[in-house]
Amino acid sequence: MRSERAYVAGLYKRLDAERARVKGEFEAALAGKAVSPMERDVEVRARAREMKRLDVADNGLCFGRLDAITGEHSYVGRIGLFDETNEYEPVLLDWRAPAARPFYVATGANPENMRRRRQFHTRGRQVLDFTDEVLGRPGDHERGDAALLAAVNAPRGEGMRDIVATIQAEQDEIIRLDHPGVLVIEGGPGTGKTVVALHRVAYLMYTQRERMERHGVLVVGPNPAFLNHIGQVLPSLGESDVVFMTPGDLVPGLRVTAEDPPEAARLKGSLKMLDVLKAAVADRQQLPDEPLPIQLKDVTVRIDAATAEWARDEARASGLPHNEARATFVEIVTYVLTERAIGRIGKGWLTRSDKEGWEDMRKGLLKELADDDSFTAALDQLWPVLTPETLLAPLYSSAERLRAAGADQSLFRENGDAWTVSDVPLLDELVDLIGPDKAADDAAAQATKKEQQAEAEYAANVLDSLINRQEHMDDEDHLFATDLLRAEDLADRFVEEDTRDLVERASADRDWTYRHVVVDEAQELSEMDWRVLMRRCPGKSFTVVGDLAQRRAPAGATSWGTMLEPYVPGRWVYRSLTVNYRTPAEIMAVAASVLAEFAPGVQPPESVRSNGVQPWSRQVTEAGLAAAIDEFVRDEAGREGTSVVIGPPGVPGTIPASDTKGLEYDAVLVVNPDEILADGPRGAAELYVALTRATQRLGVLHQGPLPRVMAGLTELDTAIA
């Protein structure tokens, strides 16, 4: 024990030395004078990332040791450290390094050329004790893991924890899988599919650093609570170039959480909406019912239906998006009107041979048309400049427009711009169908440039003020050099086009493309959602996480192949996780009876443990329900860990099961399960989700008889009236 403590203490000493070195390089980069501001910014960011990587290693820096049959041994930890005198000699293996893999996959039957695995139990920087597992003994086929059982039995905190010290063999195989396309990880509740996907991202960012770091990774989760829950896993592994979004965030500037009624959500999620959107755009390309008069100085010309139809046909035939095709429409209409005007004005004195007179008159007419408000208004009426919002909102709020686009009338709503999550992929699709509004984009660019200039002037004034202050200071006054450096850095960074970090830039840019995308609760995504995500990752490198049995979205996946084959035919692979690390066997037995009712062909995951705590139920009256919920909340407040009350819509003090997807709690109280079951066609899946959130304790309150599918609960005799 003494030698292990001394070795780990030496690792922390090496870590502190690395931190000091990188901090010095960071400060030198910050003060650099011989490089351009952009080069300095890149160097500063690189050193800052390195400091973050070293900072996350303090807790559990080294968690194990491998002893090879050759007599050599290696230490395994959160990051890699190298000998101070030999940068090629590791003193600590990064858990992602190939040499560290036996720590996770070696068993008695397959020792991977190892004779012993040692796991440290630490607190802070101190090694408390360790557990040894001898490998290679006949008859030993499974990995014994006291650390795993300690982790799964520990009280839950406010967020998901990494599992870097307790990765199991089936999880490690998925984390390190070398597949360039789409990997689908399916597993029932508690199988760790989310945390495995996040560790896979950390592994890819370690093995493909150069490829990944310039474009980053996108992680898509079902709701903000879920993203908050998982948000610290990757930073705890030293990876920060990751953008977290929900499906309602995928269009910059929108943060949508509202949901449509089931039928509207089903319709909007179908690929048939592509035809509706194209028809809705075409419907805004109008022909005049009556000729539109344009009064010029010497003549009145008219845009008639024949002219508009010719211009419309040519514009559509260009194949350009709506806003860009407007130029063709305007060009043809302008040509017709100028020809007609010249013919009338020059009749009797201007001939075709008089090219100079002809061109002079044309130039004058073109200027008149460009300055004429009625001409601009006519063009806007016949071929308006659109945005996704100004196309979709009027479509929803007009039964006539819906009919013209061939859309179902169930999509009608009074407030057309009351956006829902199902609208987000449609708005994103319209960006490509409609094209940019050049005038608006130019105005925005000018405004941004003006704002940057103002900020640069402010930063320069700050710098001048500090320099002047330094020049007039008394000896006893103090002005730190870092004050000047920060002010100068503030001024310099505004001369560059964009010095925001990757997460900021990617989140604000609809056209940003990622090197890898993780999609959690992927069974909830519609066909239209998948089009958005595939656009975000041209390389089609995905880790897809889900459980078809837990699907609640009407437009969600019924099979992985249906969703993925159109985009990556033959380039997606499927892996399943079968061990439940979260839910005790006692609770899983209750959930399994619900699963058998609505998905009889699905095998529930096998729980890794039994905790001896029997899930219970209690019947209450309507008047006693609130008191029973309060009693549960009070009892759990006195325990370590987390708890939640899940119920059907409208029950005070509860949250819906859909808001807890992917989350876990030490204790769960499910209220009125019969109402959850009855809430729509996917009510049984909702109840299954609710029952499988608990890691220790499960209770059920019911007013009527318990649903027959809920077997395995111990009914308490005490009732609350």
Side-chain angles (χ1 to χ4, degrees):
M1 175 67 75
R2 182 177 300 172
S3 64
E4 297 292 36
R5 285 175 175 165
Y7 191 88
V8 172
L11 291 176
Y12 276 108
K13 185 178 179 181
R14 183 78 191 95
L15 175 66
D16 291 339
E18 276 292 288
R19 282 176 172 163
R21 179 186 65 80
V22 175
K23 183 180 180 182
E25 292 176 354
F26 173 79
E27 291 175 348
L30 192 64
K33 298 291 186 181
V35 295
S36 72
M38 178 60 79
E39 290 173 317
R40 185 177 66 174
D41 196 67
V42 169
E43 182 68 14
V44 166
R45 291 182 187 280
R47 299 287 75 78
R49 281 197 298 269
E50 183 69 5
M51 287 195 296
K52 283 184 181 179
R53 186 185 75 88
L54 295 171
D55 285 343
V56 304
D58 238 8
N59 186 24
L61 171 63
C62 176
F63 49 77
R65 172 178 138 176
L66 280 169
D67 294 355
I69 59 176
T70 60
E72 299 174 338
H73 58 261
S74 304
Y75 290 83
V76 181
R78 304 181 75 83
I79 65 171
L81 291 174
F82 295 87
D83 187 275
E84 191 170 7
T85 59
N86 184 356
E87 63 181 43
Y88 298 105
E89 182 66 30
V91 293
L92 182 65
L93 290 175
D94 190 298
W95 66 274
R96 297 166 287 192
R101 190 166 188 264
F103 186 80
Y104 299 110
V105 301
T107 65
N110 298 291
E112 301 279 334
N113 295 319
M114 298 294 155
R115 65 179 181 84
R116 181 171 61 186
R117 173 174 40 232
R118 174 170 289 176
Q119 288 190 302
F120 297 130
H121 310 291
T122 62
R123 180 183 298 129
R125 292 190 168 201
Q126 298 298 315
V127 176
L128 303 179
D129 56 27
F130 57 76
T131 303
D132 279 347
E133 184 180 357
V134 179
L135 304 169
R137 295 186 299 195
D140 287 347
H141 296 280
E142 298 298 330
R143 172 184 172 184
D145 205 330
L148 170 66
L149 291 177
V152 297
N153 279 309
R156 264 44 185 177
E158 292 303 315
M160 179 178 283
R161 298 170 291 197
D162 67 66
I163 58 169
V164 63
T166 59
I167 294 170
Q168 300 300 291
E170 71 165 358
Q171 298 172 328
D172 186 80
E173 178 189 354
I174 293 172
I175 289 169
R176 298 175 192 263
L177 185 66
D178 183 17
H179 179 70
V182 176
L183 167 63
V184 176
I185 307 173
E186 183 161 30
T191 53
K193 53 188 179 292
T194 296
V195 74
V196 167
L198 295 175
H199 282 67
R200 175 169 166 77
V201 169
Y203 175 77
L204 292 174
M205 296 185 84
Y206 173 81
T207 58
Q208 304 176 29
R209 178 73 60 190
E210 187 173 345
R211 173 179 173 270
M212 304 279 279
E213 67 180 359
R214 292 190 63 185
H215 288 258
V217 172
L218 172 65
V219 176
V220 179
N223 53 56
F226 175 84
L227 295 182
N228 288 336
H229 179 64
I230 69 171
Q232 288 307 307
V233 173
L234 285 168
S236 76
L237 298 173
E239 304 299 346
S240 57
D241 289 337
V242 181
V243 177
F244 293 89
M245 290 186 178
T246 71
D249 303 334
L250 289 170
V251 171
L254 288 181
R255 293 291 182 270
V256 182
T257 58
E259 294 190 6
D260 277 302
E263 179 59 14
R266 184 188 67 80
L267 290 169
K268 291 179 182 180
S270 169
L271 291 181
K272 294 177 182 177
M273 281 301 296
L274 293 173
D275 293 332
V276 171
L277 296 179
K278 290 174 184 176
V281 173
D283 184 52
R284 301 297 291 272
Q285 299 162 357
Q286 296 284 310
L287 303 180
D289 294 328
E290 299 291 337
L292 302 176
I294 310 298
Q295 179 66 55
L296 301 178
K297 183 173 63 174
D298 296 321
V299 67
T300 298
V301 290
R302 288 173 174 79
I303 306 175
D304 54 33
T307 299
E309 185 174 22
W310 176 31
R312 185 178 69 175
D313 290 347
E314 291 296 321
R316 288 177 176 176
S318 72
L320 295 171
H322 171 87
N323 286 343
E324 295 176 42
R326 174 180 160 111
T328 300
F329 181 85
V330 172
E331 181 182 11
I332 291 176
V333 171
T334 302
Y335 169 77
V336 172
L337 296 188
T338 54
E339 286 292 310
R340 289 176 179 171
I342 291 171
R344 294 176 188 174
I345 297 171
K347 187 176 181 181
W349 64 272
L350 185 64
T351 65
R352 286 286 177 181
S353 60
D354 186 2
K355 293 183 179 180
E356 185 175 345
W358 193 274
E359 286 305 316
D360 287 344
M361 187 174 292
R362 178 182 294 280
K363 288 178 182 178
L365 289 169
L366 287 174
K367 187 177 186 311
E368 275 195 73
L369 287 173
D371 295 338
D372 189 272
D373 291 340
S374 63
F375 181 58
T376 302
L379 294 176
D380 289 343
Q381 175 186 334
L382 301 177
W383 197 286
V385 175
L386 297 172
T387 67
E389 293 81 2
T390 59
L391 183 285
L392 201 57
L395 175 67
Y396 286 149
S397 59
S398 168
E400 182 181 351
R401 289 191 188 278
L402 286 170
R403 277 192 296 272
D408 194 284
Q409 288 296 314
S410 64
L411 299 184
F412 176 84
R413 65 188 184 210
E414 292 288 345
N415 297 324
D417 58 358
W419 305 121
T420 66
V421 174
S422 300
D423 292 328
V424 172
L426 308 185
L427 291 166
D428 190 75
E429 191 75 37
L430 284 168
V431 173
D432 290 339
L433 282 176
I434 291 173
D437 177 356
K438 190 175 184 306
D441 289 349
D442 289 345
Q446 283 294 109
T448 299
K449 185 175 181 180
K450 192 172 182 180
E451 182 180 353
Q452 286 179 335
Q453 288 173 341
E455 290 173 334
E457 290 174 7
Y458 168 77
N461 289 335
V462 171
L463 180 60
D464 290 342
S465 175
L466 287 171
I467 292 173
N468 290 333
R469 179 183 161 197
Q470 186 181 46
E471 291 173 349
H472 295 89
M473 280 168 45
D474 296 329
D475 291 340
E476 64 272 14
D477 293 332
H478 297 283
L479 180 64
F480 293 104
T482 51
D483 293 332
L484 290 170
L485 289 173
R486 286 170 187 157
E488 185 177 10
D489 181 58
L490 179 66
D492 282 346
R493 63 190 292 120
F494 289 114
V495 305
E496 309 299 341
E497 291 184 1
D498 197 343
T499 56
R500 297 171 297 172
D501 65 23
L502 183 144
V503 172
E504 290 177 298
R505 286 181 285 129
S507 300
D509 186 355
R510 184 261 176 185
D511 295 321
W512 187 275
T513 57
Y514 298 89
R515 285 293 180 260
H516 191 77
V517 176
V518 176
V519 187
D520 210 321
E521 299 294 342
Q523 72 277 356
E524 307 297 346
L525 269 60
S526 70
E527 293 174 311
M528 292 299 296
D529 289 323
W530 279 109
R531 285 180 64 84
V532 180
L533 294 177
M534 290 294 171
R535 278 194 287 268
R536 299 296 191 269
C537 186
K540 306 296 187 289
S541 177
F542 282 73
T543 299
V544 175
V545 181
D547 180 10
L548 294 178
Q550 296 187 56
R551 176 181 64 86
R552 63 179 286 273
T558 55
S559 78
W560 300 116
T562 300
M563 291 298 186
L564 298 175
E565 275 295 323
Y567 304 103
V568 284
R571 281 192 60 219
W572 67 279
V573 296
Y574 175 89
R575 296 291 185 271
S576 64
L577 293 169
T578 59
V579 179
N580 188 331
Y581 300 98
R582 175 204 299 149
T583 318
E586 294 85 351
I587 296 176
M588 199 61 213
V590 180
S593 66
V594 176
L595 178 66
E597 178 71 15
F598 75 93
V602 177
Q603 184 70 25
E606 182 179 355
S607 296
V608 76
R609 68 194 169 102
S610 175
N611 69 352
V613 179
Q614 193 64 27
W616 55 266
S617 62
R618 174 186 288 177
Q619 188 165 14
V620 297
T621 64
E622 183 177 356
L625 179 61
I629 293 174
D630 289 343
E631 180 183 315
F632 169 83
V633 173
R634 283 196 306 272
D635 288 348
E636 290 302 327
R639 299 175 184 257
E640 188 178 3
T642 59
S643 63
V644 70
V645 182
I646 301 174
V651 176
T654 70
I655 65 173
S658 58
D659 285 356
T660 67
K661 296 198 79 169
L663 308 183
E664 55 184 31
Y665 305 87
D666 291 271
V668 172
L669 180 66
V670 178
V671 176
N672 290 346
D674 54 329
E675 294 182 26
I676 297 176
L677 274 171
D679 187 22
R682 300 296 297 173
E686 290 282 271
L687 181 58
Y688 180 61
V689 170
L691 295 173
T692 53
R693 299 306 96 194
T695 66
Q696 302 291 345
R697 301 175 295 281
L698 172 68
V700 176
L701 297 178
H702 59 103
Q703 293 176 246
L706 267 180
R708 63 176 182 80
V709 299
M710 296 188 66
L713 291 165
T714 298
E715 182 73 25
L716 300 183
D717 293 333
T718 55
I720 297 180

